[in-house]
Amino acid sequence: MENRASIEERFQRDWGLEPPESIFRFWEFHQSLDADERRAMHDDLWLGTAGIMDLFADPGARPRDGIDIRVHWRFYRDPPEFLTFMTGGSDGLHYGLWFEDGRTCTGVASYYSNDGGGLDTSAATPLEAVRDYLERVWFDLDDPRHGEGATEARDRLRRLRDKLTAYETADRPEVGRAYSDRYHPPVIPPVDPDRITTLDSAGALVVGETALDRPAHNGADQNKFARYVHDLFQDAEAREESVADARGRCAAGDPAEALVLGRDLHWTSGGDPVREAHAHELLVMAYRALGRSALAEIADAHHRHRDLPSVDVLADQ
């Protein structure tokens, strides 16, 4: 890629993050699509590039005056760890590179910003995320309601799959339902001791004590946990006490509670300026204590621009 050096320099300068090799493979794949393959990607899968990929197309692109580039395609509930690169076709589905250590990408996260449910962090790379979605659509085309159009769509998707597997997942011969059953079976994921439970379902990469003695990621009944925390947040006095406790723990050298509570408040802010302010305070405090300055800066930028009417902040060319 002739622009690679410029893109890497831009990410380091503006985000303080290292773009992974997988995002360059994704861009090379996307640029290589012919007309039918592009139609399969955009019309049959309803997947399109967005966010940071706009800078791959134009590394010199600038935001509108007064707006921080780090909020380009940053949705209201996106955690600071999330960096959008692709959108889906319904209910605000979007995908982001996941930078939970504040420096390197550890995978891909996705969620529906206009619907329920939490973050899905099962895909390791952008192209794996595309393959996962392609196989779900492939299975859905078995529905007779799709009629004759299903045959044409399958022909396009087959070509798109062939193109994708030239880059990644060639070792996975299964298609459709068999693919999903093999690589993403509907089972409870294993407990992850390196992360602590959060409301957004992604877990927080941190070690320490928490006020609720939260279990490790995937170790809680997520529905019961969500009901308990939501009820707690409805009590303004209890919420203030929780924030004060997290603030004190972080000042004493343990940022775990500030991080998990900050993530929970961010996820459930719902336009409440008090929750937004508390989330911002705790996240910046926790990230700085953990040496994740890039995430602290992203959290700060998002707080300043959280009420923007559009996620697209680039200036007109």
Side-chain angles (χ1 to χ4, degrees), residues 28 36 88 107 139 159 197 225 254-255 308:
E28 183 180 347
D36 283 341
F139 173 70
R159 290 187 58 184
T197 294
F225 175 72
D254 185 351
L308 290 175

Side-chain angles (χ1 to χ4, degrees), residues 8-314:
E8 290 177 327
E9 190 277 331
R10 182 83 187 269
F11 271 72
Q12 288 283 359
R13 183 182 75 245
D14 289 351
W15 276 272
L17 302 171
E18 300 173 7
E21 189 66 33
S22 62
I23 198 65
F24 290 103
R25 283 197 302 276
F26 171 76
W27 180 244
E28 183 180 347
F29 157 79
H30 190 266
Q31 294 300 100
S32 75
L33 301 180
D34 63 24
D36 283 341
E37 293 161 351
R38 196 169 295 273
R39 183 179 175 189
M41 180 83 170
H42 296 166
D43 297 344
D44 297 319
L45 299 184
W46 289 7
L47 296 177
T49 59
I52 59 173
M53 306 316 298
D54 293 335
L55 303 183
F56 276 62
D58 180 7
R62 310 304 305 176
R64 296 190 298 275
D65 289 346
I67 300 179
D68 195 305
I69 186 61
R70 288 170 291 195
V71 300
H72 181 50
W73 278 88
R74 177 162 294 280
F75 287 72
Y76 182 81
R77 289 195 297 164
D78 288 1
E81 292 87 348
F82 190 106
L83 206 59
T84 299
F85 68 87
M86 183 169 71
T87 60
S90 65
D91 295 321
L93 174 62
H94 60 298
Y95 296 78
L97 299 178
W98 189 246
F99 289 89
E100 61 183 351
D101 70 354
R103 186 182 69 259
T104 57
C105 176
T106 54
V108 169
S110 63
Y111 76 101
Y112 295 84
S113 63
N114 300 330
D115 203 354
L119 290 158
D120 178 354
T121 57
S122 60
T125 69
L127 285 177
E128 183 180 321
V130 174
R131 178 76 191 276
D132 292 348
Y133 198 78
L134 185 156
E135 301 305 346
R136 292 202 299 272
V137 171
W138 184 272
F139 173 70
D140 288 342
L141 289 173
D142 287 337
D143 191 320
R145 288 175 296 180
H146 290 286
E148 295 181 0
T151 300
E152 295 180 0
R154 280 186 185 273
D155 287 342
R156 290 190 294 269
L157 290 175
R158 185 180 291 107
R159 290 187 58 184
L160 184 65
R161 182 194 292 122
D162 290 344
K163 176 63 69 68
L164 191 156
T165 54
Y167 290 87
E168 285 187 22
T169 71
D171 59 339
R172 300 180 177 187
E174 300 84 358
V175 301
R177 178 69 174 271
Y179 182 96
S180 298
D181 287 347
R182 173 74 183 276
Y183 302 106
H184 297 286
V187 298
I188 299 174
V191 172
D192 184 348
D194 294 328
R195 293 161 183 81
I196 296 177
T197 294
T198 53
L199 277 180
D200 58 24
S201 301
L205 181 65
V206 67
V207 176
E209 301 295 328
T210 61
L212 300 179
D213 194 22
R214 301 185 188 215
H217 179 47
N218 298 327
D221 181 317
Q222 197 71 19
N223 289 330
K224 288 182 178 180
F225 175 72
R227 286 196 300 270
Y228 180 86
V229 175
H230 279 291
D231 288 345
L232 175 65
F233 286 175
Q234 293 303 315
D235 185 331
E237 183 176 350
R239 188 176 65 235
E240 292 285 347
E241 291 176 355
S242 296
V243 170
D245 177 60
R247 188 186 297 126
R249 289 169 181 260
C250 191
D254 185 351
E257 178 66 14
L259 180 57
V260 297
L261 186 61
R263 283 268 296 275
D264 289 352
L265 286 164
H266 181 86
W267 187 251
T268 62
S269 290
D272 180 348
V274 176
R275 290 195 193 190
E276 290 177 354
H278 282 155
H280 170 237
E281 176 194 1
L282 293 180
L283 287 175
V284 170
M285 178 185 298
Y287 291 137
R288 293 206 183 284
L290 290 163
R292 303 172 190 174
S293 58
L295 296 184
E297 295 297 328
I298 292 172
D300 191 51
H302 195 186
H303 180 66
R304 296 196 308 271
H305 298 300
R306 212 167 173 191
D307 60 351
L308 290 175
S310 172
V311 293
D312 186 347
V313 305
L314 292 185

